[in-house]
Amino acid sequence: MHELLKSASQSRRRFIAASLAALGNGIAVAAPVFGRAEETASLRKLAAEKGLLYGTTISAAQIIGDKPFVDLVLQQAGVVVAENDMKWQDMNRGVRGDDNYGLADTVAAFAYENGLALRGHNLLWYHRTPGWFFDLSSRREIEDAIVERIQALAGRYRGMVHSWDVVNEPIEPKDGRPDGLRTAVFLDMFGPEYLDLAYRTARETDPGARLVVNEYDVELDTPEQEVRRTALLNLLERMQRCGVPVDAVGIQAHLSCAGGPPFSAARLRRFLAEVAGLGLAIQITELDVTDENAPADTTVRDRLVADTYARFLDAALDEPAVKMVVTWGLSDRHSWIVRKETHQSKWRADGLPSRPLPFDTDLKPKPAFEAIAQCFAHAPRRAAG
Ligand code: XIL
């Protein structure tokens, strides 16, 4: 048995204590519940019938402090991903090598104890790189720090992780490089070979995990996103040519139901077919629908959000290489689109709370839930992957 799992089952209290310490003082929390999910009708079950894994983000704080939400996750999800608890900057205490694994361990143990698949998010992301990394100067130091990060995190959960987002968001057309790669942090400091280093190290560290390139906006019908799609395909082809291990493409799919850039089902279908043509699996990794510019009326808004889920999934699920759908949250209670402290919308000008996810803040299913369920029910069956 894996060391972490042994210690997880032998002394769960240590995990909880570590999580509480990491959460800081003064937060009243209940004991976590690690019950087995009932096999009731659920998105997990509908998806599984088609060879799909469905799941959601979760956090250690939710596992510890929100039992009703946890129960809903156990009913609905077959895979979970830490929304923030495995991100480097979130784990790091400001000093190289000093990372706090308490919250990440809580999420990993939750997945293990409940028989859920675990997505690892993420090993490297320019946006959540600790400050000290930017002070490294020698090539050797930078390489060592990247390798240390990957070996430490992917090594700790070796054998437990279904898929790792090894590099999150490696493409940025605005950076102006002919290859479309994002320059921020890793490329600037090390060169484009950081990608090869990261994926090779991840494969060596946890050979059983699927290695994913996770990217956003590839479903949008704009010239900029056409450049992003091309750059991503070129990157994948180059990795394959050079023997750099990659198994899947992650499509974040943060969608907008009104006033956003146009979504094109035709473009998405074509892009998915091109990815599948490379022999890669596809995962929808962060699906949600902002209602930022939708009318205030809740019924109208919920319908627009639901229709957006339906249009996207209808196109995506026709592609048999799509093996997984993860929504970036399950209930509007916990969404990055909804400001947690005030429950005011982050982006709506009228200040109304956003309603981006399948369940409302009372954990009641919304039209978005029905839309996703219908899409799963009508999706062609595929080989699981
Ligand atoms: C977001 C989280 O949801 C927020 O809580 C956090 O403040 C910022 O990051 N793309 C990603 C995710 O890959 O990690 C991001 O998650 C959303 C965009």
Side-chain angles (χ1 to χ4, degrees), residues 179-241:
D179 60 11
L181 291 179
R182 181 183 294 283
T183 58
V185 196
F186 305 108
L187 193 144
D188 267 347
M189 291 177 70
F190 191 75
E193 320 79 79
Y194 87 89
L195 286 151
D196 308 29
L197 176 68
Y199 283 83
R200 289 206 164 103
T201 308
R203 178 67 97 225
E204 280 161 22
T205 308
D206 186 355
R210 293 155 183 81
L211 305 185
V212 184
V213 177
N214 200 38
E215 193 49 81
Y216 65 91
D217 280 359
V218 297
E219 66 285 345
L220 298 180
D221 190 11
T222 64
E224 184 189 347
Q225 303 316 335
E226 185 63 19
V227 177
R228 188 184 299 276
R229 283 187 285 271
T230 304
L232 181 51
L233 288 167
N234 288 342
L235 169 64
L236 297 165
E237 276 166 7
R238 188 191 65 71
M239 289 171 81
Q240 290 185 321
R241 223 174 27 247

Short mmCIF file of all heavy atoms in Angstrom, two decimals, residues 179-241:
data_model
loop_
_atom_site.label_atom_id
_atom_site.label_comp_id
_atom_site.label_asym_id
_atom_site.label_seq_id
_atom_site.Cartn_x
_atom_site.Cartn_y
_atom_site.Cartn_z
N ASP A 179 5.65 30.36 -32.27
CA ASP A 179 5.08 29.07 -31.86
C ASP A 179 3.89 29.22 -30.91
O ASP A 179 3.29 28.23 -30.50
CB ASP A 179 6.15 28.17 -31.22
CG ASP A 179 6.80 28.79 -29.98
OD1 ASP A 179 6.27 29.81 -29.48
OD2 ASP A 179 7.82 28.25 -29.51
N GLY A 180 3.54 30.45 -30.57
CA GLY A 180 2.35 30.69 -29.74
C GLY A 180 2.51 30.33 -28.28
O GLY A 180 1.55 30.40 -27.51
N LEU A 181 3.72 29.93 -27.87
CA LEU A 181 3.90 29.53 -26.46
C LEU A 181 3.88 30.75 -25.55
O LEU A 181 4.36 31.83 -25.91
CB LEU A 181 5.23 28.78 -26.29
CG LEU A 181 5.32 27.40 -26.93
CD1 LEU A 181 6.71 26.80 -26.70
CD2 LEU A 181 4.24 26.47 -26.37
N ARG A 182 3.34 30.54 -24.36
CA ARG A 182 3.34 31.58 -23.34
C ARG A 182 4.77 31.82 -22.86
O ARG A 182 5.51 30.86 -22.58
CB ARG A 182 2.48 31.13 -22.15
CG ARG A 182 2.36 32.14 -21.03
CD ARG A 182 1.55 31.56 -19.88
NE ARG A 182 0.17 31.34 -20.26
CZ ARG A 182 -0.75 32.30 -20.35
NH1 ARG A 182 -0.44 33.55 -20.07
NH2 ARG A 182 -1.99 31.99 -20.69
N THR A 183 5.15 33.08 -22.76
CA THR A 183 6.53 33.36 -22.35
C THR A 183 6.67 33.42 -20.82
O THR A 183 7.76 33.17 -20.31
CB THR A 183 7.02 34.70 -22.94
OG1 THR A 183 6.15 35.73 -22.52
CG2 THR A 183 7.05 34.64 -24.46
N ALA A 184 5.57 33.74 -20.14
CA ALA A 184 5.66 34.04 -18.71
C ALA A 184 6.36 32.92 -17.92
O ALA A 184 6.09 31.74 -18.12
CB ALA A 184 4.28 34.28 -18.12
N VAL A 185 7.22 33.34 -17.08
CA VAL A 185 7.98 32.58 -16.09
C VAL A 185 8.85 31.47 -16.68
O VAL A 185 10.05 31.68 -16.87
CB VAL A 185 7.08 31.93 -15.01
CG1 VAL A 185 7.92 31.49 -13.82
CG2 VAL A 185 6.00 32.86 -14.57
N PHE A 186 8.28 30.32 -16.96
CA PHE A 186 9.13 29.16 -17.22
C PHE A 186 9.88 29.30 -18.54
O PHE A 186 11.07 29.02 -18.62
CB PHE A 186 8.31 27.87 -17.18
CG PHE A 186 7.55 27.72 -15.89
CD1 PHE A 186 6.18 27.89 -15.85
CD2 PHE A 186 8.23 27.46 -14.71
CE1 PHE A 186 5.49 27.77 -14.65
CE2 PHE A 186 7.55 27.35 -13.51
CZ PHE A 186 6.17 27.51 -13.48
N LEU A 187 9.17 29.78 -19.57
CA LEU A 187 9.84 29.92 -20.86
C LEU A 187 10.86 31.07 -20.80
O LEU A 187 12.00 30.92 -21.25
CB LEU A 187 8.81 30.15 -21.96
CG LEU A 187 9.35 30.00 -23.38
CD1 LEU A 187 8.31 29.37 -24.30
CD2 LEU A 187 9.79 31.33 -23.94
N ASP A 188 10.46 32.18 -20.20
CA ASP A 188 11.36 33.32 -20.04
C ASP A 188 12.65 32.91 -19.33
O ASP A 188 13.74 33.31 -19.68
CB ASP A 188 10.69 34.40 -19.18
CG ASP A 188 9.96 35.42 -20.03
OD1 ASP A 188 10.18 35.43 -21.26
OD2 ASP A 188 9.16 36.19 -19.45
N MET A 189 12.48 32.12 -18.28
CA MET A 189 13.63 31.83 -17.42
C MET A 189 14.43 30.62 -17.90
O MET A 189 15.61 30.51 -17.60
CB MET A 189 13.16 31.62 -15.98
CG MET A 189 12.65 32.91 -15.35
SD MET A 189 12.00 32.68 -13.67
CE MET A 189 13.45 32.32 -12.71
N PHE A 190 13.77 29.70 -18.62
CA PHE A 190 14.44 28.44 -18.94
C PHE A 190 14.45 28.12 -20.43
O PHE A 190 15.31 27.36 -20.91
CB PHE A 190 13.74 27.30 -18.17
CG PHE A 190 14.49 26.00 -18.20
CD1 PHE A 190 15.63 25.81 -17.43
CD2 PHE A 190 14.05 24.94 -19.00
CE1 PHE A 190 16.32 24.60 -17.44
CE2 PHE A 190 14.74 23.73 -19.03
CZ PHE A 190 15.87 23.57 -18.23
N GLY A 191 13.48 28.63 -21.15
CA GLY A 191 13.34 28.29 -22.57
C GLY A 191 12.22 27.29 -22.76
O GLY A 191 11.74 26.69 -21.80
N PRO A 192 11.78 27.10 -24.02
CA PRO A 192 10.63 26.23 -24.28
C PRO A 192 10.85 24.78 -23.85
O PRO A 192 9.89 24.02 -23.70
CB PRO A 192 10.44 26.31 -25.81
CG PRO A 192 11.61 27.05 -26.35
CD PRO A 192 12.31 27.74 -25.23
N GLU A 193 12.10 24.40 -23.62
CA GLU A 193 12.39 23.02 -23.18
C GLU A 193 11.84 22.74 -21.78
O GLU A 193 11.86 21.59 -21.34
CB GLU A 193 13.89 22.72 -23.15
CG GLU A 193 14.74 23.25 -24.24
CD GLU A 193 15.08 24.73 -24.07
OE1 GLU A 193 15.96 25.08 -23.27
OE2 GLU A 193 14.42 25.54 -24.76
N TYR A 194 11.34 23.78 -21.10
CA TYR A 194 10.78 23.51 -19.77
C TYR A 194 9.62 22.52 -19.90
O TYR A 194 9.36 21.73 -18.98
CB TYR A 194 10.34 24.81 -19.08
CG TYR A 194 8.94 25.27 -19.40
CD1 TYR A 194 7.84 24.86 -18.65
CD2 TYR A 194 8.69 26.14 -20.48
CE1 TYR A 194 6.55 25.28 -18.96
CE2 TYR A 194 7.42 26.55 -20.79
CZ TYR A 194 6.35 26.13 -20.03
OH TYR A 194 5.08 26.54 -20.34
N LEU A 195 8.92 22.58 -21.03
CA LEU A 195 7.78 21.67 -21.22
C LEU A 195 8.26 20.23 -21.28
O LEU A 195 7.69 19.34 -20.63
CB LEU A 195 7.04 22.04 -22.51
CG LEU A 195 6.20 23.33 -22.39
CD1 LEU A 195 6.07 24.04 -23.72
CD2 LEU A 195 4.83 23.01 -21.82
N ASP A 196 9.32 19.98 -22.03
CA ASP A 196 9.87 18.63 -22.14
C ASP A 196 10.31 18.13 -20.77
O ASP A 196 10.03 17.00 -20.36
CB ASP A 196 11.06 18.59 -23.11
CG ASP A 196 10.73 19.22 -24.45
OD1 ASP A 196 9.87 20.12 -24.49
OD2 ASP A 196 11.32 18.82 -25.46
N LEU A 197 11.02 19.00 -20.07
CA LEU A 197 11.51 18.65 -18.73
C LEU A 197 10.35 18.28 -17.81
O LEU A 197 10.39 17.27 -17.09
CB LEU A 197 12.28 19.86 -18.15
CG LEU A 197 12.78 19.72 -16.72
CD1 LEU A 197 13.89 18.67 -16.63
CD2 LEU A 197 13.29 21.08 -16.19
N ALA A 198 9.30 19.09 -17.84
CA ALA A 198 8.17 18.88 -16.93
C ALA A 198 7.46 17.56 -17.24
O ALA A 198 7.19 16.77 -16.33
CB ALA A 198 7.19 20.04 -17.05
N TYR A 199 7.18 17.32 -18.49
CA TYR A 199 6.42 16.10 -18.84
C TYR A 199 7.27 14.85 -18.63
O TYR A 199 6.77 13.82 -18.16
CB TYR A 199 5.82 16.20 -20.25
CG TYR A 199 4.59 17.09 -20.26
CD1 TYR A 199 4.71 18.48 -20.33
CD2 TYR A 199 3.32 16.55 -20.09
CE1 TYR A 199 3.59 19.30 -20.26
CE2 TYR A 199 2.19 17.36 -20.04
CZ TYR A 199 2.34 18.74 -20.12
OH TYR A 199 1.23 19.55 -20.03
N ARG A 200 8.55 14.93 -18.95
CA ARG A 200 9.42 13.76 -18.73
C ARG A 200 9.53 13.46 -17.24
O ARG A 200 9.47 12.30 -16.82
CB ARG A 200 10.82 14.02 -19.32
CG ARG A 200 10.81 14.02 -20.83
CD ARG A 200 12.18 13.65 -21.42
NE ARG A 200 12.03 13.29 -22.82
CZ ARG A 200 12.34 14.09 -23.84
NH1 ARG A 200 12.86 15.29 -23.62
NH2 ARG A 200 12.16 13.68 -25.09
N THR A 201 9.70 14.51 -16.45
CA THR A 201 9.83 14.30 -15.00
C THR A 201 8.54 13.73 -14.42
O THR A 201 8.57 12.83 -13.57
CB THR A 201 10.20 15.63 -14.29
OG1 THR A 201 11.34 16.19 -14.93
CG2 THR A 201 10.49 15.42 -12.83
N ALA A 202 7.42 14.24 -14.90
CA ALA A 202 6.13 13.75 -14.40
C ALA A 202 5.96 12.26 -14.74
O ALA A 202 5.53 11.47 -13.90
CB ALA A 202 4.98 14.56 -14.99
N ARG A 203 6.32 11.88 -15.95
CA ARG A 203 6.18 10.47 -16.36
C ARG A 203 7.07 9.57 -15.50
O ARG A 203 6.63 8.52 -15.02
CB ARG A 203 6.53 10.30 -17.83
CG ARG A 203 6.47 8.87 -18.32
CD ARG A 203 5.03 8.31 -18.32
NE ARG A 203 4.44 8.43 -19.63
CZ ARG A 203 3.21 8.86 -19.88
NH1 ARG A 203 2.43 9.23 -18.89
NH2 ARG A 203 2.74 8.91 -21.10
N GLU A 204 8.33 10.01 -15.30
CA GLU A 204 9.24 9.20 -14.47
C GLU A 204 8.72 9.08 -13.05
O GLU A 204 8.85 8.04 -12.41
CB GLU A 204 10.62 9.87 -14.40
CG GLU A 204 11.49 9.63 -15.61
CD GLU A 204 12.62 10.66 -15.71
OE1 GLU A 204 12.98 11.27 -14.67
OE2 GLU A 204 13.11 10.87 -16.84
N THR A 205 8.11 10.16 -12.56
CA THR A 205 7.71 10.19 -11.16
C THR A 205 6.45 9.37 -10.90
O THR A 205 6.34 8.69 -9.89
CB THR A 205 7.48 11.66 -10.71
OG1 THR A 205 8.64 12.41 -11.04
CG2 THR A 205 7.23 11.75 -9.22
N ASP A 206 5.47 9.47 -11.79
CA ASP A 206 4.24 8.68 -11.62
C ASP A 206 3.83 8.11 -12.97
O ASP A 206 2.98 8.66 -13.68
CB ASP A 206 3.12 9.56 -11.04
CG ASP A 206 1.89 8.73 -10.71
OD1 ASP A 206 1.88 7.51 -11.03
OD2 ASP A 206 0.93 9.28 -10.14
N PRO A 207 4.43 6.97 -13.32
CA PRO A 207 4.19 6.42 -14.67
C PRO A 207 2.74 6.05 -14.94
O PRO A 207 2.33 5.95 -16.09
CB PRO A 207 5.07 5.15 -14.69
CG PRO A 207 5.99 5.26 -13.53
CD PRO A 207 5.34 6.15 -12.52
N GLY A 208 1.93 5.90 -13.90
CA GLY A 208 0.54 5.50 -14.11
C GLY A 208 -0.40 6.66 -14.38
O GLY A 208 -1.55 6.44 -14.77
N ALA A 209 0.04 7.88 -14.16
CA ALA A 209 -0.88 9.02 -14.32
C ALA A 209 -0.90 9.47 -15.78
O ALA A 209 0.13 9.50 -16.45
CB ALA A 209 -0.42 10.18 -13.43
N ARG A 210 -2.09 9.81 -16.27
CA ARG A 210 -2.20 10.40 -17.61
C ARG A 210 -1.69 11.84 -17.52
O ARG A 210 -2.07 12.58 -16.61
CB ARG A 210 -3.65 10.39 -18.07
CG ARG A 210 -4.22 8.99 -18.31
CD ARG A 210 -5.73 9.03 -18.16
NE ARG A 210 -6.36 7.72 -18.31
CZ ARG A 210 -6.44 6.80 -17.34
NH1 ARG A 210 -5.90 7.01 -16.14
NH2 ARG A 210 -7.05 5.66 -17.56
N LEU A 211 -0.88 12.19 -18.48
CA LEU A 211 -0.27 13.53 -18.46
C LEU A 211 -1.01 14.44 -19.44
O LEU A 211 -1.14 14.15 -20.62
CB LEU A 211 1.22 13.44 -18.81
CG LEU A 211 2.03 12.47 -17.93
CD1 LEU A 211 3.52 12.55 -18.28
CD2 LEU A 211 1.82 12.75 -16.43
N VAL A 212 -1.46 15.58 -18.91
CA VAL A 212 -2.41 16.44 -19.63
C VAL A 212 -1.78 17.81 -19.89
O VAL A 212 -1.08 18.36 -19.03
CB VAL A 212 -3.70 16.63 -18.79
CG1 VAL A 212 -4.73 17.45 -19.55
CG2 VAL A 212 -4.28 15.28 -18.37
N VAL A 213 -2.04 18.36 -21.07
CA VAL A 213 -1.78 19.78 -21.35
C VAL A 213 -3.13 20.48 -21.23
O VAL A 213 -4.06 20.18 -21.98
CB VAL A 213 -1.22 19.99 -22.78
CG1 VAL A 213 -1.03 21.48 -23.05
CG2 VAL A 213 0.08 19.24 -22.99
N ASN A 214 -3.26 21.37 -20.26
CA ASN A 214 -4.56 21.99 -19.97
C ASN A 214 -4.59 23.42 -20.51
O ASN A 214 -3.69 24.21 -20.22
CB ASN A 214 -4.75 22.00 -18.44
CG ASN A 214 -6.19 22.16 -18.02
OD1 ASN A 214 -7.10 21.62 -18.66
ND2 ASN A 214 -6.42 22.91 -16.94
N GLU A 215 -5.63 23.76 -21.30
CA GLU A 215 -5.63 25.07 -21.95
C GLU A 215 -7.05 25.65 -21.98
O GLU A 215 -8.02 24.92 -21.83
CB GLU A 215 -5.06 24.93 -23.37
CG GLU A 215 -4.70 26.22 -24.07
CD GLU A 215 -3.86 27.18 -23.25
OE1 GLU A 215 -2.63 27.02 -23.16
OE2 GLU A 215 -4.44 28.13 -22.69
N TYR A 216 -7.17 26.97 -22.13
CA TYR A 216 -8.49 27.60 -22.11
C TYR A 216 -8.84 28.25 -23.45
O TYR A 216 -8.00 28.43 -24.31
CB TYR A 216 -8.57 28.64 -20.97
CG TYR A 216 -7.66 29.84 -21.11
CD1 TYR A 216 -8.10 31.00 -21.75
CD2 TYR A 216 -6.38 29.82 -20.60
CE1 TYR A 216 -7.27 32.11 -21.87
CE2 TYR A 216 -5.54 30.93 -20.72
CZ TYR A 216 -6.00 32.06 -21.35
OH TYR A 216 -5.18 33.16 -21.48
N ASP A 217 -10.14 28.55 -23.59
CA ASP A 217 -10.66 29.33 -24.72
C ASP A 217 -10.54 28.66 -26.09
O ASP A 217 -10.78 29.34 -27.11
CB ASP A 217 -10.01 30.72 -24.78
CG ASP A 217 -10.65 31.70 -23.79
OD1 ASP A 217 -11.60 31.29 -23.09
OD2 ASP A 217 -10.21 32.86 -23.71
N VAL A 218 -10.19 27.40 -26.15
CA VAL A 218 -10.01 26.77 -27.46
C VAL A 218 -11.35 26.49 -28.17
O VAL A 218 -11.35 26.08 -29.32
CB VAL A 218 -9.18 25.47 -27.40
CG1 VAL A 218 -7.78 25.74 -26.92
CG2 VAL A 218 -9.85 24.43 -26.51
N GLU A 219 -12.46 26.74 -27.48
CA GLU A 219 -13.77 26.53 -28.11
C GLU A 219 -14.28 27.81 -28.77
O GLU A 219 -15.33 27.81 -29.41
CB GLU A 219 -14.79 26.04 -27.07
CG GLU A 219 -15.17 27.04 -25.97
CD GLU A 219 -14.08 27.20 -24.91
OE1 GLU A 219 -13.17 26.36 -24.86
OE2 GLU A 219 -14.14 28.17 -24.14
N LEU A 220 -13.56 28.91 -28.63
CA LEU A 220 -14.09 30.20 -29.09
C LEU A 220 -13.76 30.47 -30.56
O LEU A 220 -12.71 30.09 -31.06
CB LEU A 220 -13.54 31.34 -28.22
CG LEU A 220 -13.93 31.25 -26.74
CD1 LEU A 220 -13.34 32.42 -25.97
CD2 LEU A 220 -15.45 31.21 -26.57
N ASP A 221 -14.70 31.16 -31.19
CA ASP A 221 -14.61 31.41 -32.62
C ASP A 221 -14.07 32.82 -32.87
O ASP A 221 -14.79 33.70 -33.32
CB ASP A 221 -16.01 31.25 -33.23
CG ASP A 221 -15.96 31.27 -34.75
OD1 ASP A 221 -14.85 31.18 -35.31
OD2 ASP A 221 -17.04 31.36 -35.36
N THR A 222 -12.81 33.03 -32.53
CA THR A 222 -12.18 34.33 -32.79
C THR A 222 -10.81 34.06 -33.43
O THR A 222 -10.24 32.98 -33.24
CB THR A 222 -11.94 35.12 -31.48
OG1 THR A 222 -11.00 34.38 -30.68
CG2 THR A 222 -13.22 35.32 -30.69
N PRO A 223 -10.29 35.04 -34.16
CA PRO A 223 -8.98 34.83 -34.79
C PRO A 223 -7.90 34.50 -33.75
O PRO A 223 -7.04 33.65 -33.97
CB PRO A 223 -8.69 36.18 -35.47
CG PRO A 223 -10.04 36.80 -35.67
CD PRO A 223 -10.90 36.32 -34.54
N GLU A 224 -7.96 35.17 -32.59
CA GLU A 224 -6.94 34.91 -31.56
C GLU A 224 -7.00 33.46 -31.09
O GLU A 224 -5.96 32.81 -30.91
CB GLU A 224 -7.17 35.85 -30.37
CG GLU A 224 -6.09 35.70 -29.31
CD GLU A 224 -6.41 36.46 -28.04
OE1 GLU A 224 -7.32 37.29 -28.04
OE2 GLU A 224 -5.74 36.19 -27.03
N GLN A 225 -8.21 32.95 -30.92
CA GLN A 225 -8.32 31.58 -30.42
C GLN A 225 -8.02 30.55 -31.50
O GLN A 225 -7.65 29.42 -31.19
CB GLN A 225 -9.68 31.34 -29.76
CG GLN A 225 -9.99 32.30 -28.62
CD GLN A 225 -8.82 32.54 -27.66
OE1 GLN A 225 -7.92 31.71 -27.52
NE2 GLN A 225 -8.83 33.69 -27.01
N GLU A 226 -8.14 30.96 -32.75
CA GLU A 226 -7.70 30.08 -33.84
C GLU A 226 -6.17 29.91 -33.75
O GLU A 226 -5.64 28.82 -33.92
CB GLU A 226 -8.11 30.66 -35.20
CG GLU A 226 -7.82 29.78 -36.40
CD GLU A 226 -8.58 28.44 -36.38
OE1 GLU A 226 -9.59 28.31 -35.67
OE2 GLU A 226 -8.11 27.52 -37.09
N VAL A 227 -5.49 31.02 -33.43
CA VAL A 227 -4.03 30.95 -33.24
C VAL A 227 -3.71 30.03 -32.05
O VAL A 227 -2.79 29.22 -32.10
CB VAL A 227 -3.44 32.36 -33.01
CG1 VAL A 227 -1.94 32.28 -32.73
CG2 VAL A 227 -3.72 33.26 -34.20
N ARG A 228 -4.52 30.15 -31.00
CA ARG A 228 -4.27 29.30 -29.81
C ARG A 228 -4.44 27.82 -30.16
O ARG A 228 -3.62 26.98 -29.78
CB ARG A 228 -5.24 29.69 -28.69
CG ARG A 228 -4.94 29.00 -27.35
CD ARG A 228 -5.99 29.33 -26.29
NE ARG A 228 -6.07 30.75 -25.98
CZ ARG A 228 -5.27 31.39 -25.12
NH1 ARG A 228 -4.33 30.73 -24.47
NH2 ARG A 228 -5.41 32.67 -24.90
N ARG A 229 -5.50 27.51 -30.91
CA ARG A 229 -5.73 26.11 -31.28
C ARG A 229 -4.56 25.57 -32.11
O ARG A 229 -4.05 24.48 -31.85
CB ARG A 229 -7.03 25.99 -32.09
CG ARG A 229 -8.29 26.06 -31.26
CD ARG A 229 -9.53 25.75 -32.09
NE ARG A 229 -9.91 26.86 -32.97
CZ ARG A 229 -10.73 27.85 -32.61
NH1 ARG A 229 -11.24 27.89 -31.41
NH2 ARG A 229 -11.03 28.82 -33.47
N THR A 230 -4.14 26.38 -33.08
CA THR A 230 -3.04 25.94 -33.94
C THR A 230 -1.76 25.75 -33.11
O THR A 230 -1.04 24.76 -33.28
CB THR A 230 -2.79 26.99 -35.05
OG1 THR A 230 -4.02 27.17 -35.75
CG2 THR A 230 -1.71 26.56 -36.01
N ALA A 231 -1.50 26.69 -32.24
CA ALA A 231 -0.28 26.61 -31.41
C ALA A 231 -0.33 25.36 -30.53
O ALA A 231 0.69 24.68 -30.35
CB ALA A 231 -0.15 27.86 -30.55
N LEU A 232 -1.50 25.06 -29.99
CA LEU A 232 -1.62 23.90 -29.11
C LEU A 232 -1.39 22.61 -29.91
O LEU A 232 -0.65 21.72 -29.48
CB LEU A 232 -2.99 23.90 -28.43
CG LEU A 232 -3.31 22.77 -27.46
CD1 LEU A 232 -2.20 22.61 -26.41
CD2 LEU A 232 -4.65 23.02 -26.76
N LEU A 233 -2.00 22.54 -31.08
CA LEU A 233 -1.80 21.35 -31.92
C LEU A 233 -0.32 21.21 -32.30
O LEU A 233 0.24 20.11 -32.26
CB LEU A 233 -2.66 21.44 -33.18
CG LEU A 233 -4.16 21.23 -32.96
CD1 LEU A 233 -4.97 21.64 -34.18
CD2 LEU A 233 -4.47 19.77 -32.59
N ASN A 234 0.31 22.33 -32.65
CA ASN A 234 1.74 22.27 -32.99
C ASN A 234 2.58 21.80 -31.81
O ASN A 234 3.51 21.02 -31.97
CB ASN A 234 2.24 23.65 -33.47
CG ASN A 234 1.69 23.99 -34.84
OD1 ASN A 234 1.24 23.11 -35.58
ND2 ASN A 234 1.73 25.27 -35.20
N LEU A 235 2.24 22.30 -30.63
CA LEU A 235 2.98 21.88 -29.43
C LEU A 235 2.84 20.36 -29.22
O LEU A 235 3.82 19.66 -28.98
CB LEU A 235 2.46 22.63 -28.20
CG LEU A 235 2.95 22.10 -26.84
CD1 LEU A 235 4.46 22.26 -26.71
CD2 LEU A 235 2.24 22.80 -25.68
N LEU A 236 1.62 19.88 -29.33
CA LEU A 236 1.37 18.45 -29.10
C LEU A 236 2.13 17.60 -30.13
O LEU A 236 2.75 16.59 -29.79
CB LEU A 236 -0.13 18.15 -29.18
CG LEU A 236 -0.98 18.85 -28.11
CD1 LEU A 236 -2.46 18.80 -28.47
CD2 LEU A 236 -0.73 18.24 -26.73
N GLU A 237 2.09 18.06 -31.38
CA GLU A 237 2.79 17.32 -32.43
C GLU A 237 4.30 17.30 -32.17
O GLU A 237 4.96 16.29 -32.34
CB GLU A 237 2.52 17.95 -33.80
CG GLU A 237 1.21 17.45 -34.41
CD GLU A 237 0.73 18.28 -35.59
OE1 GLU A 237 1.48 19.19 -36.03
OE2 GLU A 237 -0.38 18.04 -36.05
N ARG A 238 4.80 18.45 -31.75
CA ARG A 238 6.25 18.52 -31.48
C ARG A 238 6.61 17.60 -30.31
O ARG A 238 7.61 16.87 -30.36
CB ARG A 238 6.68 19.95 -31.16
CG ARG A 238 8.20 20.08 -31.06
CD ARG A 238 8.70 21.39 -30.50
NE ARG A 238 8.36 21.65 -29.12
CZ ARG A 238 8.87 21.03 -28.06
NH1 ARG A 238 9.75 20.05 -28.23
NH2 ARG A 238 8.50 21.35 -26.84
N MET A 239 5.79 17.61 -29.27
CA MET A 239 6.08 16.74 -28.13
C MET A 239 6.10 15.28 -28.58
O MET A 239 7.00 14.53 -28.22
CB MET A 239 5.02 16.94 -27.03
CG MET A 239 5.14 18.28 -26.32
SD MET A 239 3.73 18.63 -25.22
CE MET A 239 4.19 17.69 -23.76
N GLN A 240 5.12 14.91 -29.37
CA GLN A 240 5.06 13.51 -29.83
C GLN A 240 6.27 13.16 -30.69
O GLN A 240 6.87 12.10 -30.55
CB GLN A 240 3.76 13.27 -30.60
CG GLN A 240 2.55 13.31 -29.69
CD GLN A 240 1.26 12.95 -30.41
OE1 GLN A 240 1.06 13.34 -31.56
NE2 GLN A 240 0.39 12.21 -29.76
N ARG A 241 6.64 14.09 -31.58
CA ARG A 241 7.80 13.86 -32.46
C ARG A 241 9.07 13.66 -31.66
O ARG A 241 9.93 12.85 -31.99
CB ARG A 241 7.96 15.08 -33.38
CG ARG A 241 8.25 14.74 -34.79
CD ARG A 241 8.26 15.93 -35.74
NE ARG A 241 8.59 17.23 -35.20
CZ ARG A 241 7.72 18.24 -35.13
NH1 ARG A 241 6.47 18.08 -35.54
NH2 ARG A 241 8.08 19.41 -34.63
#
